[in-house]
Every structure is written in C-alpha cells, then in structure tokens.
Amino acid sequence: MSLVDMSSNNLPTSQSRDLHKSAPALSLSLAGIFHGGGGGGGEEEEGGIGGEAVEISSENSGAAKSRSDDDYDLAAEGLEDEDEDENDGGKKRKRKKYHRHTPQQIREMEALFKESPHPDEKQRMQLSKQLGLHPRQVKFWFQNRRTQIKAIQERHENSLLKSEIDKLCDENKSLRETIKNQSCSNCGFASPNKDGTTPSPTEGQKLRIENARLKAEVEKLKSAMAKHPHGSSPRSSYSPGNDQDDRSSFEFPNAGSGLEKERIMEAASRAAEELRKMASHGEPLWVRSYETGREMLNYDEYRKEFCAEDENDGNMQARKKSVEASRETALVFVDLPWLVQTFMDGNQWKELFPCLISKAATVDVICNGEGVNRDGAAQLMFAEIQMLTPLVATREVYFVRYSKKISANQWAIVDVSVDRGEDSTDASLHKCRKRPSGCIIEDKSNGHCKVTWVEHVECQRSTVHSLYRTMVKSGLAFGAKRWLSTLQQQCDRLVFLVATNVPLKDSSGVATLAGRKSILKLAQRMSRSFCRALGDSSLNSWNKITSKTGDEIRVATRKNHSDPGEPLGTILSAVASVWLPVPHHALFDFLRDENRRNEWDIMSKGSTVQTIANLAKGQDRGNAVTTMAMQNEEHKMWVLQDSSTNTYESMIIYAPVDIKGMQSVMTGCDSSNMAVLPSGFSILPDGVESRPSVITSKPEEEKSAEGGSLLTMAFQILISNASATKLSLDSVESVNTLISCTMENIKTTLQCED
C-alpha cells in the first residue's frame, strides 16, 4: 500500500516538464518508489527505481496509474525481453530503461536522510559517486522521501485535529444538555432551589466531591465482600496505613478461576510478542517526524500488522478515544535482575517513579513465574499516573503486568489492559487502557542495560487546560520519553547513594559516607512528599482562587495526624502554573542557584546565603542535594534543597530544617523522624518542538530555539498544630501573597513581565 499519492502535483518542476514526454513511464517508475523499502527516485534519462525496461502506451496510462505496485512489477516482468514497442501510429521506438535501486544504495541514502533530509549539492555529488548513481537520481530520491514523510505526518496531524473537533463537539453537546436541564422551560433562566435561591457552583462542587467520596466507600465495601466473603484477612502488597491506595480484584471477579487465568495469560503472551515487534521494528512501522525528529507510529502499518481482528468494534469507539504511541531507547546504569524485580513489586515500582505514579497496587497474582527472577510471572495491577500539576487530570489504569525472559541477557516487562469479558459493563475500566506497552531490557554486561520503552495507550477524550494542551496532545506528557528519562535519573541517584568513590568535588561539606547517605535519603523522602502533594490525584481536593497577578491558584488542605516525617497538624498546599518565554534549562539553572536566591525568594530578602554541604546524586551537575544557611540580623535558618533534571523535566524542591537535627543527620544519624514540609518548582518544556539542526549553530541560536517553559510552583505551610482547624481567609490571603510575589520576582528578574 503506497503511503503517498505520487501524482504529478507532487513532482518537482524539473520532473513536471518531462511528464509530457513519458508520463506513463514516469508515473510507473514513481509508483515503484515504496515497493522495496521506500527507495528510488526518477529522472528523465534513468529513473533508477524500476525493475526492467517498461513502457506503457499513452492510451493505457490512466489505467496504469490506478494499479497497485504489484501490478507494475508483473507488467515489468512481462515486458522485460522486449526492446521496442509500437506507438499509436505504428512506428517503432526504443524504450527507455529504468533500474531499481539496490538495497545497499537505499540503506546509504536512508542513513543520510536521517541526518540531513535536505542535503546540499556537495553532499548529493559525494553520495552519487559513492553509490554509482546520477546526482539527479539522488536528488529525486530525497524529494520523494520527504514527500512520503510529509504525507504520513499530515495524516497523523489530521487525525489529531479530527479528535480535537470530536472532543469539542462532545463538550458542546454536554454543555447544552446541562444548560437545558438546569433551565426553566418557560423563561429560560436557572431553576431555583426549594428555598428560592439559585444554585451556586460551590454547592455543585461540594455535591461532586461528596458523590466521589461515597463511590469510593462503595468500592471499598465491594472490595472487601469480593475478596474476603468469609471474614478472612485481606491480602495486600501494602504496608499498614496505605488504605487510600487500595484496589481489589472485584473488578476481575473471576480472576482466580482456571479459565480466566488461562485467558489472561494468553492475552499477556500475545502482548509480549507485539511489544517485541514494536520495540525492534523500524520503518515503515515507525517513521521519524521531519519537524521534531521524534518517532511516530504509522497506524496504517500498525493495523495491518496487529489490529485486523479489532476493526469491527474499533470504529464504534474511535470517536470517544484518543490514542498515544511513543518509543524511546537509552542506556541505563542498572542491574537487570534488580530492575525486573522492581517492576514486579508495586511499592518499589511506585518509589522508582515518584513524579509519575501517585498510586499503585498489585490487585491479584495470576502466575508466580519460575526461578529467582520469576520468569513468566503475571499479575493484575492498578496505577494512577499524574503530571506534577493539578491542571492535568490523572489517568487511572488497570492492567496485567507480565515478566518474560526472551534470551539469556534480555527480558520483557509487558503491560496490557484486559477486559473482564462479554459481561463487562463498567465504564471506569475503559477510561484509560494500555495497549501492549512496556520495555525490553538488554544486559550489556558492563553495569548498564539498554532499555527500549514503548508506551501505547488509549484514553477517553477530556478537556485539558490550555497551558498543557500541547504537551498532552503531542503524547509527551505521559509518553515513553518521560518514563525512560525518569528511570535514568532515578537509577543514577541509586548508584550515587551507595557509591564509595565519589570525587571530593562532588561531595563537599560531609565527612563520612554514612552522613552522605543519610542526607540523600532525607532529600529523596522530601521529593516524594512534594510529588504526592502536587498532582491532581484523588488524594488532593483542590479549590481554585485568583492570585493578585491574575494567575489561577489551586489550594487544598490535608491533615497529618501521626506521620513523624511531616509537621503534625493541618497543612495548606497552594499551586500555580504559568508559561514563561525562558528555555527549560535556563530557568532551572536560575532557580537552583543559591547565589541568586535573593532575586526570587521573599523569605531570603536581606539574608546572606552560604552553602554548608553540596552532594552530587547524578552525572548531570544539576542533580545535587544542597544544605544552605540563610542568616540576617534577626534570625538564622537552614534549608535543604534537592535539585534534579533530565531531558523531560526539572525540579527544585526545598524545605527549612531544624539546625541541630540537620547537623546530626550530616554525621550519619537516622533521618526518618526529621519533619520536613517541602515547597518548590516543577519545570517542563512547553511542548513546542523543533528538529535539531545538523549544522552546528551558535549557542545563542540554539538557546533561542529551545522554546519556553511551563513553571509550576507549590508552597506548603502549616496553618495550625491542631488537625481539626478549618481553612481561614487569612491563610488563603497569606499563601496568595507568597505565590504572587514570588511569581512577580521571577518574571521581573528574567525580563518576561508581559
């Protein structure tokens, strides 16, 4: 199946002029471009893409253009022994010969195309000499290849636009129904309550929150009844106190039966094979975007390869679903058996991805697997996936996780959502589903593993805040790049946590390895607490207010009754997100620099800032834990700061700490009972991507091409030592002032007030 309609409108000017001379032969040769792996280009003397000499009379040219590539190959074979043909006037003329490119020629041109889709004349000349082709053949091949990629990309973009249009139509219809139901049929105004008052948005919000709470209670009751009908003790992979994460097997009530387990294992086995192909195959299944350089899934090829059996019911659900697919590969400093074990343990998996996973649970074990590494293990799992902002809704997904040994040094971790069967009517299971996803892990025997991550999900369409619409729509928000970047960063942190040979320049201010380890553990706990308080998880109930600078602020309260790792009492969280015309890494370097802290932190105005200790926790210099002392005439305060960065996301998290307690931690004492209440920043690229230039540009030009940043700032303050205290207007006003002043200082310093 051709990926591009190669009509005369797609041809370059030089080819278009020759179309009048040999239009049938030219259209025939162009039709063979993609028949052999996408190679070949044409020219007026030698097309360079046909198999043998082929000529079709002008009266049959229209029929020839409508044929498939296979038809052309058959025609070529039938005419390969003829040297001449008769035209309409009975005269004989010699036929031009066309030659298909060899696989080696195609590979060489593909390699150059990936580096430079627009080679200059010098590059074309050099390549033509190397491959034994005419320079114009090389030129036309690159033109046709760009046309092919552009067509695939346009179809992909059209699909996204269609999805957006369908989503807006559904929202419009829903809003019309809401207005219609809430309005009086006679006058058109809102129907009053029984007491004569008009319902307010606050009342509606309270009802939705109460409804959600009651649904959660019903789920818990169903869970207990389904799992323990005779009062047996519950089986859970959680430690006591994590009941907010509990998910049970009532969603799959027959998972324990032999037939149901067999069905799930068959689905997991099929998913493993699909993941293996998705991770290893290149074009035409995956096509690299011309604009961004990222790989895109070619759904025409995907459906031919995997989804023939799903086409009947696919059209029914297509308008209600959005599908995201992405793939990334990277080297990770990690031990393969440890990584496999971590993925198969719900708690360890959640701790490995604290910024991504707000909840995780092992619902049921389908198969324990064989051996120490549990080859063939399968289990039902639940996860709530988040972004570090309350402006983007979390994604709740149930799936089967399957661990399979592929070879002596290669493992597959497969995730796939499995329906309960024909009687499945619960819509909550279909809000977000995992198509075969996961990672292929290959041990490189040098302390590193090559990890190829494939993320392929379908979700119900929903409204996304305008700030994050590009990120979510492009698939970057929950895609493979984010998962793999986080995995690299977290594995580096674990290596530095246990390392005994860290250079002195990367470990200043702490005399012992025990002290270093204790500080890094405290920083990691602080970061997990920050991520848990920042997202749109059901653990947080956010209310919206407007800041003094006009930005939206989300506020929420929670009560800490017994956790010694945080202050006891009522805690107020406030979060605001903005777009800034500053590159991602430039904004990160500014906010983490202790020497420039006075420029944005209103709490450190007039104070001198001194670095007490600085500990590296990764190969990038931005991944570090710093202890700072801030002192003015009135008081002295120590602050613990944890900064981290990767290709997707950066964070600066900090909290004031008790000076004596921190000094004891620096000597190696246990830090688990030290109370910290973190605040900080999450920084993302704004999602507007551009393909990296092959030609080396000036640093200033590279910086300007990076685009803007999405900055989310979060502050947590203890508003009362008593857990029963209600949120007061004074507390809201205080946090409003804090966020507004901090935001204004950042914009002023970076000269982006507008």
Side-chain angles (χ1 to χ4, degrees):
M1 173 180 174
S2 293
L3 296 176
V4 187
D5 178 17
M6 302 302 296
S7 66
S8 60
N9 294 330
N10 300 112
L11 299 177
T13 306
S14 60
Q15 288 177 289
S16 183
R17 287 196 299 266
D18 297 319
L19 192 60
H20 301 289
K21 297 181 181 179
S22 55
L26 183 57
S27 64
L28 172 59
S29 61
L30 287 172
I33 288 174
F34 309 108
H35 182 75
E43 66 157 319
E44 59 186 61
E45 295 180 358
E46 292 186 59
I49 47 179
E52 297 289 342
V54 180
E55 184 175 46
I56 301 177
S57 61
S58 58
E59 65 182 5
N60 295 327
S61 62
K65 289 179 182 179
S66 64
R67 293 182 184 178
S68 67
D69 295 344
D70 294 334
D71 294 333
Y72 288 129
D73 290 339
L74 293 172
E77 292 174 3
L79 296 172
E80 65 182 16
D81 294 328
E82 298 182 12
D83 293 327
E84 53 187 19
D85 198 2
E86 292 187 4
N87 60 14
D88 294 339
K91 296 181 180 180
K92 293 185 177 181
R93 64 180 181 184
K94 291 188 177 181
R95 190 182 322 106
K96 298 175 182 178
K97 293 185 178 181
Y98 298 89
H99 304 282
R100 188 183 303 278
H101 291 325
T102 66
Q104 178 62 26
Q105 290 171 337
I106 294 172
R107 282 194 295 269
E108 293 292 336
M109 289 188 286
E110 283 283 2
L112 179 59
F113 183 84
K114 290 179 179 179
E115 296 179 3
S116 176
H118 288 276
D120 55 28
E121 185 176 358
K122 182 178 179 181
Q123 290 175 308
R124 293 198 302 269
M125 288 292 293
Q126 182 180 356
L127 187 60
S128 64
K129 291 179 181 179
Q130 178 184 343
L131 301 179
L133 297 174
H134 194 282
R136 295 184 66 184
Q137 288 179 283
V138 176
K139 176 182 177 182
F140 292 156
W141 187 92
F142 274 85
Q143 289 175 340
N144 294 331
R145 193 74 175 105
R146 289 194 297 269
T147 303
Q148 176 192 8
I149 297 299
K150 184 177 180 181
I152 294 174
Q153 215 167 320
E154 287 176 349
R155 279 206 304 276
H156 180 67
E157 292 172 355
N158 289 340
S159 176
L160 293 177
L161 290 173
K162 185 177 182 299
S163 300
E164 283 293 311
I165 292 172
D166 292 339
K167 181 176 69 176
L168 291 173
C169 290
D170 292 340
E171 291 177 7
N172 190 5
K173 183 178 179 181
S174 176
L175 289 172
R176 289 177 180 274
E177 288 294 329
T178 302
I179 294 173
K180 181 179 178 181
N181 294 336
Q182 293 183 354
S183 301
C184 174
S185 58
N186 295 323
C187 64
F189 290 99
S191 301
N193 293 328
K194 293 181 179 180
D195 57 0
T197 61
T198 302
S200 64
T202 303
E203 292 174 355
Q205 185 181 33
K206 290 180 179 179
L207 289 174
R208 286 194 295 272
I209 294 173
E210 180 66 15
N211 189 29
R213 188 187 67 79
L214 292 174
K215 283 184 177 180
E217 292 296 328
V218 171
E219 284 191 1
K220 286 185 179 181
L221 291 173
K222 286 182 178 179
S223 168
M225 293 174 65
K227 292 182 69 176
H228 320 294
H230 303 294
S232 58
S233 59
R235 177 182 62 186
S236 175
S237 62
Y238 297 108
S239 58
N242 282 351
D243 56 339
Q244 73 270 16
D245 285 348
D246 187 33
R247 290 294 185 276
S248 64
S249 59
F250 80 91
E251 298 287 5
F252 295 89
N254 300 319
S257 66
L259 290 176
E260 185 66 13
K261 284 188 175 182
E262 183 179 354
R263 184 179 72 86
I264 292 175
M265 292 301 295
E266 288 177 356
S269 181
R270 290 194 303 269
E273 180 61 21
E274 179 173 328
L275 174 65
R276 186 189 63 80
K277 293 180 180 179
M278 290 277 283
S280 59
H281 287 192
E283 294 189 11
L285 184 61
W286 293 93
V287 180
R288 195 166 295 278
S289 169
Y290 174 65
E291 278 82 7
T292 66
R294 288 195 298 121
E295 287 185 312
M296 301 185 307
L297 183 62
N298 183 350
Y299 275 100
D300 291 338
E301 291 295 327
Y302 176 81
R303 281 190 288 267
K304 284 195 293 185
E305 181 74 24
F306 302 111
C307 292
E309 68 277 8
D310 296 335
E311 289 181 355
N312 292 332
D313 61 343
N315 294 330
M316 298 286 291
Q317 301 294 333
R319 295 184 70 254
K320 299 180 181 180
K321 300 282 185 179
S322 62
V323 181
E324 300 170 8
S326 56
R327 181 175 72 171
E328 290 288 334
T329 301
L331 281 177
V332 181
F333 200 167
V334 69
D335 180 56
L336 190 151
W338 179 88
L339 187 57
V340 171
Q341 178 184 349
T342 300
F343 274 112
M344 299 305 292
D345 184 285
N347 286 330
Q348 292 184 26
W349 179 54
K350 177 183 173 183
E351 290 185 4
L352 190 61
F353 298 94
C355 59
L356 270 157
I357 305 172
S358 55
K359 297 180 184 178
T362 300
V363 177
D364 199 0
V365 176
I366 305 301
C367 177
N368 285 314
E370 301 176 354
V372 178
N373 294 323
R374 300 176 60 196
D375 179 21
Q379 55 199 35
L380 290 172
M381 298 187 72
F382 164 82
E384 184 183 57
I385 314 300
Q386 68 172 4
M387 287 189 70
L388 293 182
T389 175
L391 300 184
V392 178
T394 58
R395 293 181 173 183
E396 293 188 353
V397 56
Y398 290 85
F399 58 94
V400 175
R401 173 155 290 173
Y402 179 53
S403 172
K404 182 64 179 174
K405 184 178 182 179
I406 301 175
S407 64
N409 62 340
Q410 205 173 44
W411 281 74
I413 301 295
V414 189
D415 294 343
V416 61
S417 293
V418 180
D419 295 331
R420 286 187 296 175
E422 296 180 357
D423 61 339
S424 177
T425 57
D426 190 351
S428 65
L429 286 176
H430 303 283
K431 289 182 180 179
C432 188
R433 299 182 73 256
K434 274 186 177 266
R435 294 184 178 184
S437 304
C439 56
I440 304 295
I441 310 167
E442 181 181 354
D443 191 354
K444 290 304 199 179
S445 301
N446 58 353
H448 291 76
C449 288
K450 177 184 176 183
V451 180
T452 301
W453 197 296
V454 175
E455 197 67 21
H456 196 188
V457 297
E458 58 180 54
C459 297
Q460 283 187 348
R461 294 195 183 101
S462 59
T463 305
V464 181
H465 194 279
S466 58
L467 277 176
Y468 291 89
R469 192 168 296 153
T470 301
M471 285 287 294
V472 176
K473 181 180 174 183
S474 65
L476 288 172
F478 300 97
K481 181 178 181 180
R482 186 184 181 198
W483 285 98
L484 195 50
S485 297
T486 304
L487 177 63
Q488 283 182 299
Q489 179 179 302
Q490 290 294 101
C491 288
D492 279 354
R493 179 191 64 81
L494 292 172
V495 170
F496 274 73
L497 178 66
V498 299
T500 59
N501 57 345
V502 179
L504 292 177
K505 63 182 181 65
D506 294 331
S507 182
S508 61
V510 180
T512 64
L513 291 174
R516 172 186 171 81
K517 190 172 184 178
S518 185
I519 293 176
L520 291 178
K521 282 186 175 181
L522 175 60
Q524 178 66 7
R525 175 164 64 84
M526 180 177 71
S527 296
R528 285 200 299 265
S529 174
F530 177 80
C531 295
R532 186 169 59 247
L534 190 57
D536 192 41
S537 170
S538 56
L539 300 175
N540 304 320
S541 299
W542 297 101
N543 296 302
K544 183 171 70 173
I545 61 174
T546 303
S547 71
K548 297 178 180 179
T549 57
D551 299 307
E552 292 182 358
I553 298 178
R554 300 297 197 277
V555 295
T557 57
R558 57 189 174 90
K559 298 177 176 62
N560 179 28
H561 299 285
S562 57
D563 183 5
E566 289 185 337
L568 300 179
T570 303
I571 298 171
L572 171 64
S573 302
V575 180
S577 298
V578 295
W579 177 85
L580 295 176
V582 181
H584 167 206
H585 293 294
L587 182 57
F588 171 70
D589 288 338
F590 165 68
L591 292 174
R592 76 180 185 89
D593 188 351
E594 60 269 20
N595 296 322
R596 303 191 66 181
R597 192 179 186 93
N598 290 330
E599 298 180 36
W600 60 265
D601 187 2
I602 63 175
M603 305 300 292
S604 65
K605 287 289 185 181
S607 300
T608 58
V609 181
Q610 178 187 359
T611 300
I612 304 298
N614 185 70
L615 307 178
K617 59 167 190 168
Q619 299 179 33
D620 191 292
R621 62 184 180 86
N623 290 310
V625 176
T626 307
T627 304
M628 296 175 287
M630 294 189 293
Q631 184 173 3
N632 56 25
E633 297 179 354
E634 298 180 358
H635 70 280
K636 182 178 182 180
M637 177 176 65
W638 278 23
V639 173
L640 179 66
Q641 176 175 291
D642 183 5
S643 59
S644 55
T645 184
N646 56 49
T647 56
Y648 173 84
E649 184 174 34
S650 299
M651 291 189 294
I652 301 100
I653 304 168
Y654 60 91
V657 291
D658 179 70
I659 296 178
K660 291 184 178 180
M662 193 64 199
Q663 288 173 338
S664 66
V665 170
M666 292 172 66
T667 63
C669 294
D670 183 24
S671 62
S672 58
N673 291 326
M674 186 170 182
V676 290
L677 191 59
S679 300
F681 305 93
S682 169
I683 309 169
L684 295 171
D686 59 10
V688 179
E689 298 179 288
S690 60
R691 185 185 181 95
S693 176
V694 177
I695 302 174
T696 303
S697 59
K698 297 180 180 179
E700 296 80 6
E701 294 175 354
E702 290 182 352
K703 184 176 179 180
S704 63
E706 290 180 16
S709 301
L710 298 173
L711 174 66
T712 298
M713 63 174 63
F715 293 100
Q716 297 189 94
I717 58 175
L718 182 68
I719 59 177
S720 174
N721 292 327
S723 60
T725 302
K726 294 183 178 179
L727 181 62
S728 65
L729 293 178
D730 290 340
S731 300
V732 174
E733 181 66 20
S734 298
V735 78
N736 191 335
T737 301
L738 181 60
I739 284 185
S740 301
C741 292
T742 304
M743 185 69 71
E744 189 67 27
N745 289 341
I746 293 173
K747 290 181 178 180
T748 301
T749 303
L750 299 177
Q751 299 180 356
C752 50
E753 293 90 339
D754 295 334

